[in-house]
Amino acid sequence: MSLKDLAQELGVSIATVSRALHSSPEIGKDMQKKVQELARKLNYRPNPFAQSLRHESPRMIGVVVPNLVTHYYAAVLDGIEAEAVKHGYSVISANSHENFADEQQAIDNFISLHVEGIIACLAQNTRDYTHFEEISQMDIPLVFFGRTCLPEKFSSVTANGDEAAQKATQHLIDTGSRRIAFMGGPNHLDMVQRRKHGYLEALRDNRIPIDRSLVICDKIDYQSTLEATISLLERPDRPDAILAFNDIITFAAFAAIKQLGLRIPEDVALIGFTDDLHARYVTPQMSAIEDQSRQIGETACRLLLGAIGGDRKIYKRVVPQQVVIRQSSAKNKTV
């Protein structure tokens, strides 16, 4: 039994339940009594770990990421931790595994642990933002990075994915590619929308007809992308280049091209949003759109610490990405 369960049972917010359990003067006596009676009836017990932490007045922030094992999220977390430590904060991280329910649970756990603020990146299947709206109602500072929502309520740190995708697509065009596919993630994610927009703008600028069958936006999953790329490349009118949304999709596309015995970049050029470390250690070396991911983490943490300190202005920070050209993308070797 959690605070959230009590709140749902009574049809009120988590904030109301929390305050009622602590006999806050902000909550009427009738509501306090109703909440406390239900808590006793349902055998609600406060988290003893959270109670001890609150007693010792820790300085903690919570971070929820979609996939902790990827270089991008690990580097963002590294930046958050480095900035947090400078100001005397500890960081608790949670992995949503790209799953909405796990993301909800992570946020619920952070509330129970009484963190002073939260940094979050949406799971790919998150479409219901109620748990974040509750954070706003409870006046807990929260900053999004990468994939964001509720821009009127929360600050965010994102990358210039639209500009970077446009520049990368233009490079593919300039070096001889014409049928360029975009392999993306779920269409509802703002990060996907930005990167796809840049890709489409480059095609329009060069008067290249947009073939919607070359725009593949599905879940972020290695095996699914591998199979989708193989299907795309087995077509008689296969693409001659691929712009890939992130590192998982990039290396799934890379594997698909290799599996079919096609050459990179002569048969299929490839450029993806991925990190420098992995991009340099494959053959051919990968052209990549690289996030300054550690800087994203540092920036998000600074915004959160400012909000914890009382600055509740909504900020929109953009950290530029770098397009690094290597061997995988240029058909025309003279360019």
Side-chain angles (χ1 to χ4, degrees), residues 244-255 270-274 286:
F245 167 70
N246 71 353
D247 49 359
I248 292 173
I249 291 175
T250 298
F251 287 104
F254 184 92
L270 178 63
I271 185 168
F273 287 80
T274 187
M286 183 79 66

Side-chain angles (χ1 to χ4, degrees), residues 176-197:
S177 297
R178 286 297 177 270
R179 284 186 56 75
I180 303 168
F182 176 78
M183 304 294 293
N187 269 313
H188 69 276
L189 292 175
D190 59 336
M191 181 187 282
V192 175
Q193 294 168 10
R194 288 192 297 270
R195 295 177 182 186
K196 182 169 67 173
H197 175 75

Side-chain angles (χ1 to χ4, degrees), residues 165-230:
Q166 186 167 1
K167 183 176 180 180
T169 306
Q170 186 63 54
H171 160 72
L172 291 170
I173 294 168
D174 290 343
T175 53
S177 297
R178 286 297 177 270
R179 284 186 56 75
I180 303 168
F182 176 78
M183 304 294 293
N187 269 313
H188 69 276
L189 292 175
D190 59 336
M191 181 187 282
V192 175
Q193 294 168 10
R194 288 192 297 270
R195 295 177 182 186
K196 182 169 67 173
H197 175 75
Y199 154 80
L200 294 172
E201 283 298 291
L203 296 184
R204 293 186 185 102
D205 288 347
N206 290 272
R207 294 181 170 80
I208 294 176
I210 295 170
D211 183 345
R212 294 293 174 182
S213 71
L214 297 180
V215 181
I216 310 296
C217 290
D218 203 347
K219 63 181 178 180
I220 302 168
D221 175 77
Y222 183 90
Q223 188 61 36
S224 297
T225 303
L226 178 69
E227 293 169 2
T229 308
I230 289 173

Side-chain angles (χ1 to χ4, degrees), residues 22-76:
H22 292 90
S23 301
S24 168
E26 299 175 31
I27 306 299
K29 294 295 183 183
D30 288 345
M31 179 57 72
Q32 287 185 32
K33 183 179 179 181
K34 188 181 296 185
V35 171
Q36 292 167 7
E37 285 180 350
L38 181 64
R40 283 192 295 271
K41 177 183 175 183
L42 298 181
N43 199 29
Y44 167 76
R45 292 288 185 274
N47 185 321
F49 178 57
Q51 294 283 66
S52 65
L53 291 178
R54 185 167 64 249
H55 178 72
E56 295 171 13
S57 300
R59 306 185 74 190
M60 295 192 307
I61 60 175
V63 181
V64 57
V65 299
N67 189 344
L68 192 52
V69 300
T70 66
H71 181 274
Y72 171 75
Y73 293 114
V76 170

Side-chain angles (χ1 to χ4, degrees), residues 148-169:
T148 73
C149 67
L150 304 174
E152 73 285 356
K153 294 181 183 292
F154 299 111
S155 294
S156 63
V157 183
T158 58
N160 62 335
D162 51 348
E163 296 176 25
Q166 186 167 1
K167 183 176 180 180
T169 306

